Amino acid sequence: MDPHLLRTFAAVARHGSFSAAAHELGYTQSAVSQQIAALEQDLGTPLLRRRPVALTDAGARLLEHAGPILLRLSAARADVTRLSGAPAAAVVLATTPFAAFRAATLVAVQRAMPRVTFTLAVAGRDAVATGVATGAFDLGLVDGVAAPSDPLALPDAGRLATVVLAQEEVVVAMPRDHPLAGRRSVRLADLADAAWIDAPEAAVPPAQLRALARADGFRTGPAYPGTDRAVLLELIAAGAGLALLPASRTDGVPVAEPRLVHRTELVHGSLTPAARAAAEAFRRPS
């Protein structure tokens, strides 16, 4: 299967339009139509219905495969480019909102390497991991909640190294007037009937809470797709719902069962000399 044809198909499916996909990819609309036809001929089945554009069952299944395949191809290209390229004069570090980012570490590395420009970006967990894999970021700090022995769930983006930088207990962040606010600890399953803010980039979403607690419930409250910690905490304080967060970032009730930790990991692929120096600095105990 030609990856160029697959990329074109994914663009058409994402936009629901041949013309919009052509604009994104820099092709003519006719060229996009020809590429889709060539892919359909190769696979022996229609992938898209025309007028209006919609996925067939086969097209929907192919789209499920297309994302991981294209991500791995982009990651492979970025990894090889980093290994074969000239020393970079810039390093981009991306971090999730609740990662244990140490500003002093980055400042110290910048002072030690004055000719290298360091840029800090804030994004969601998947965006950080994907950006590191595809070369948009040189280093990433990602965080999340998991059982102590389980890895953080990251996109399948190829060969990425992960190093645990920090680990701490988690708490249920809730309004001060919540009936359980004064408890010393709580079982996660005891809060299955509560509403939880659906903030996948800043907190544990309800679907993952069900898996962690091995219990049904965990009603979805307001959806917050952003990454701003202050906004999330304001929503909690206003009574919009609960959230599972690292203990160092907010007041809350510790989770006694199941045993969970909030972990920050450094994520990277092949490293330029400047990025390697920054990575080694972050690995050192603070």
Side-chain angles (χ1 to χ4, degrees):
M1 187 185 305
D2 188 329
H4 296 291
L5 302 184
L6 187 61
R7 194 177 302 278
T8 299
F9 164 74
V12 174
R14 183 171 61 255
H15 290 290
S17 164
F18 281 71
S19 59
H23 179 74
E24 175 190 316
L25 299 172
Y27 299 148
T28 64
Q29 185 172 335
S30 175
V32 169
S33 297
Q34 291 172 12
Q35 291 183 37
I36 296 299
L39 183 60
E40 290 177 326
Q41 183 177 6
D42 179 32
L43 294 175
T45 185
L47 301 172
L48 293 166
R49 299 185 183 91
R50 278 70 166 174
R51 298 182 184 179
V53 175
L55 292 167
T56 64
D57 289 344
R61 183 59 57 86
L62 179 60
L63 188 61
E64 293 176 5
H65 292 283
I69 290 171
L70 294 173
L71 174 57
R72 291 295 295 267
L73 288 172
S74 297
R77 176 182 293 276
D79 209 25
V80 171
T81 300
R82 283 190 292 254
L83 285 172
S84 60
V91 173
V92 181
L93 169 69
T95 179
T96 49
F98 283 88
F101 169 66
R102 299 193 296 269
T105 299
L106 186 60
V107 172
V109 175
Q110 171 72 89
R111 288 174 177 168
M113 307 177 74
R115 298 194 178 191
V116 177
T117 301
F118 286 85
T119 302
L120 180 66
V122 178
R125 185 185 305 109
D126 286 359
V128 171
T130 299
V132 170
T134 58
F137 308 133
D138 298 284
L139 299 168
L141 295 175
V142 296
D143 74 299
V145 173
S149 58
D150 291 344
L152 294 182
L154 298 175
D156 181 11
R159 187 179 176 183
L160 289 179
T162 59
V163 181
V164 176
L165 298 182
Q167 193 163 282
E168 61 178 303
E169 73 173 356
V170 296
V171 298
V172 179
M174 57 182 63
R176 293 185 178 181
D177 59 356
H178 191 279
L180 301 181
R183 286 202 178 185
R184 296 182 62 182
S185 64
V186 67
R187 293 172 65 249
L188 194 56
D190 291 341
L191 293 167
D193 292 334
W196 294 75
I197 297 175
D198 188 11
E201 301 294 1
V204 181
Q208 187 182 353
L209 288 169
R210 297 184 196 103
L212 291 171
R214 298 182 181 179
D216 295 329
F218 298 94
R219 291 184 292 112
T220 300
Y224 175 59
T227 60
D228 191 314
R229 179 182 65 192
V231 172
L232 177 62
L233 293 178
E234 285 185 13
L235 287 171
I236 295 168
L242 310 181
L244 200 62
L245 299 173
S248 63
R249 302 305 178 93
T250 185
D251 295 329
V253 181
V255 176
E257 185 182 333
R259 175 80 174 104
L260 300 172
V261 295
H262 176 269
R263 188 182 304 130
T264 297
E265 295 180 352
L266 175 70
V267 180
H268 64 82
S270 301
L271 294 172
T272 63
R276 184 175 297 108
E280 290 173 354
F282 275 102
R283 290 191 190 106
R284 298 187 198 111
S286 57

